[in-house]
Amino acid sequence: MKDGTVMDWDVVDNIWNHAFRRRLLINPEEHPMLIAEPSINSAQQREKAAELMFEKYKVPALFLAKNAVLTSFASGRATSLVVDSGGGSTVVSAVHDGYVLQKSVATSPIGGEFLTDCMMKSLESKGVVIRPRYSFKKKEVSPGDYKVVDLDFPNTTDSYRLYHMRAIASDIKETVCRVPDTPFDEVAYANVPTTSYELPDGQTIEVGAARFKIPDILFNPFLSQTIPGIDGFGDSTSIRGLPRMVLESVNRCDVDIRKELLSSILLSGGSSSILQLKDRLEKEVLEESPQNARVKVLASGNSTERRFSVWIGGSILASLGSFQQMWFSKAEYEEHGVSYIQRKCP
């Protein structure tokens, strides 16, 4: 996957096959399939998914639903502005009466993985070495006293090593980072108290201003350019902070629904920092909104609900009696071809 889009369909096919045959223990030919998709999914991607489901898995019926719509349903709303901050990207979409308004969709490549990269580079610039868990073991030399012994795995790849290092950096980010109440300022945060974090190999590191700076990249992406080793943005026009994306998305919609959207901004994503984003985003959007606008940012207090909001919304949608007539059936696929999915699942 890249920015929420499938890059390798063979891998997707393998994952689906594993899910159906080994985990769910079902025969796909006996079950209609509801697939959640990004708001920015292309017609080509949608048709490829449909073709795979009907030709390989022989499903009796199919429906493609947008992530933002399902998140909105999970919160009990048919109209809302969904801010989905995921691993590879952040997407803001307006949902009106159960449909995504495509002209409203705003995207940014700034997501959790980019912030993890920023944390890794920030630590590296301070001389911190993150050792993957598999590369050492702890040996007790005396009661309560451990010595770290290096283990040699000559056949591991660089990407495998990086994967494990990133997992640790991600945990550091989730544990110590806090979204600042006001825009990050290097001078103001220079003497902020540090927070300790113990790495798997036993060494303890101190994280200072970076724990506020890195989350603030969601509001001011160009802060990342002050971290040694982080590459510049290729297309800087698509790079803007969350408040700007929200206002851009709302302003692309009809004037008569803008107030309703501003009063129900939904935050979606599994990160623990989502709740911290809430107040800051509400404050900054309110400052830039029309005077009489009521701005309300909503996020479930339950991280599991936020993380699985798309799945929860899908289960709600699929259980509605009125939904049963919306399926794209195998008979329609055989009669009209795969492109008919664009009409059945707008």
Side-chain angles (χ1 to χ4, degrees):
M1 305 285 283
K2 188 174 189 306
D3 297 340
T5 304
V6 175
M7 306 303 287
D8 189 334
W9 279 99
D10 289 339
V11 175
V12 171
D13 184 13
N14 286 337
I15 291 170
W16 283 351
N17 193 57
H18 178 77
F20 298 147
R21 315 282 187 195
R22 300 285 182 87
R23 295 293 169 203
L24 297 171
L25 305 177
I26 60 159
N27 178 0
E29 295 181 28
E30 298 171 0
H31 296 271
M33 294 289 167
L34 169 60
I35 299 180
E37 60 172 357
S39 298
I40 50 172
N41 218 16
S42 67
Q44 185 183 5
Q45 292 263 319
R46 307 178 94 218
E47 289 176 14
K48 180 65 184 175
E51 190 180 308
L52 198 52
M53 278 294 174
F54 283 123
E55 297 294 340
K56 166 102 186 260
Y57 295 103
K58 312 269 190 237
V59 299
L62 176 70
F63 192 81
L64 302 182
K66 299 275 192 285
N67 290 342
V69 170
L70 300 181
T71 291
S72 200
F73 285 167
S75 74
R77 290 170 171 80
T79 297
S80 66
L81 189 78
V82 178
V83 179
D84 187 359
S85 188
S89 62
T90 296
V91 182
V92 180
S93 317
V95 177
H96 183 59
D97 287 342
Y99 292 95
V100 168
L101 304 178
Q102 286 301 139
K103 62 184 177 183
S104 76
V105 179
T107 63
S108 164
I110 308 290
E113 289 169 12
F114 182 75
L115 298 188
T116 298
D117 285 341
C118 290
M119 176 58 82
M120 279 188 72
K121 296 296 182 186
S122 177
L123 293 172
E124 280 175 18
S125 71
K126 292 177 172 57
V128 174
V129 177
I130 298 176
R131 299 167 73 176
R133 291 176 191 273
Y134 69 82
S135 68
F136 64 87
K137 71 174 181 180
K138 288 182 179 177
K139 190 175 181 182
E140 192 169 17
V141 288
S142 61
D145 186 20
Y146 292 88
K147 178 184 174 188
V148 175
V149 180
D150 287 331
L151 298 176
D152 186 25
F153 286 93
N155 297 323
T156 51
T157 60
D158 288 343
S159 63
Y160 182 73
R161 181 181 179 81
L162 183 62
Y163 170 80
H164 282 273
M165 289 168 67
R166 285 175 61 86
I168 296 167
S170 179
D171 188 65
I172 298 171
K173 177 192 73 178
E174 294 282 337
T175 305
V176 308
C177 285
R178 294 289 176 270
V179 176
D181 295 332
T182 55
F184 179 85
D185 177 81
E186 207 78 54
V187 177
Y189 282 84
N191 298 315
V192 75
T194 60
T195 295
S196 303
Y197 181 93
E198 186 179 339
L199 293 171
D201 63 0
Q203 64 170 313
T204 300
I205 60 171
E206 299 291 333
V207 186
R211 68 193 187 99
F212 295 101
K213 181 183 195 172
I214 287 166
D216 203 51
I217 290 168
L218 287 167
F219 291 84
N220 176 14
F222 292 97
L223 264 181
S224 64
Q225 307 304 284
T226 64
I227 298 171
I230 292 293
D231 298 331
F233 299 115
D235 176 20
S236 59
T237 54
S238 69
I239 310 296
R240 54 261 189 263
L242 270 182
R244 176 55 37 209
M245 289 175 70
V246 165
L247 291 162
E248 215 175 82
S249 181
V250 169
N251 288 334
R252 288 176 187 166
C253 300
D254 292 344
V255 178
D256 51 352
I257 67 164
R258 290 178 189 173
K259 279 188 181 178
E260 190 178 358
L261 292 172
L262 284 170
S263 66
S264 57
I265 300 170
L266 299 180
L267 288 182
S268 168
S271 171
S272 59
S273 62
I274 290 284
L275 285 178
Q276 300 165 28
L277 284 176
K278 186 171 165 286
D279 295 338
R280 170 85 179 274
L281 182 60
E282 196 170 283
K283 178 171 162 277
E284 294 200 9
V285 171
L286 185 59
E287 285 171 2
E288 299 289 328
S289 299
Q291 278 189 331
N292 59 347
R294 176 177 170 269
V295 175
K296 191 70 183 166
V297 178
L298 308 153
S300 170
N302 184 323
S303 64
T304 305
E305 282 183 16
R306 290 197 308 276
R307 190 175 168 204
F308 297 112
S309 62
V310 171
W311 195 94
I312 293 166
S315 67
I316 292 168
L317 177 64
S319 65
L320 296 175
S322 57
F323 175 71
Q324 306 316 313
Q325 63 203 31
M326 296 170 69
W327 290 108
F328 177 33
S329 68
K330 191 166 193 341
E332 287 175 313
Y333 169 75
E334 288 169 348
E335 183 182 345
H336 301 286
V338 72
S339 60
Y340 198 63
I341 190 105
Q342 312 299 346
R343 184 182 295 185
K344 288 289 288 190
C345 311

